[in-house]
Amino acid sequence: MASSRDSAPPIDSGDRSGTPLPPPRQTPSTIYQIQIALLRSRVASLETELEREREHRQAVVDRYERVIDGK
């Protein structure tokens, strides 16, 4: 006696281009490369933010020094 699983139609992937689908899992190397790229991007963003904050602080210091020198 066949189970209902045996007679189920095949799953349609929806791909009609004739090209094979990419492998379902990425290799650890690819995952690590993606993680490294994301981390590098985040570090660059943080460095930019830090530089902006330093410039802002320096502008505040310069402004107060001008106020003090003006008295």
Side-chain angles (χ1 to χ4, degrees):
M1 174 177 198
S3 71
S4 63
R5 230 179 13 184
D6 294 337
S7 62
I11 296 173
D12 183 7
S13 69
D15 182 45
R16 304 279 185 249
S17 65
T19 58
L21 294 174
R25 303 187 103 180
Q26 295 177 329
T27 63
S29 176
T30 302
I31 293 170
Y32 296 143
Q33 290 172 356
I34 292 169
Q35 289 174 329
I36 289 169
L38 290 171
L39 288 171
R40 284 182 175 157
S41 174
R42 181 68 178 138
V43 166
S45 174
L46 289 169
E47 287 174 338
T48 300
E49 185 179 340
L50 177 62
E51 185 58 32
R52 262 190 258 128
E53 180 60 29
R54 285 179 179 156
E55 290 170 356
H56 174 72
R57 275 192 258 142
Q58 187 60 51
V60 170
V61 168
D62 293 345
R63 187 170 48 221
Y64 281 116
E65 286 177 347
R66 284 193 302 273
V67 169
I68 291 171
D69 290 342
K71 288 188 176 183

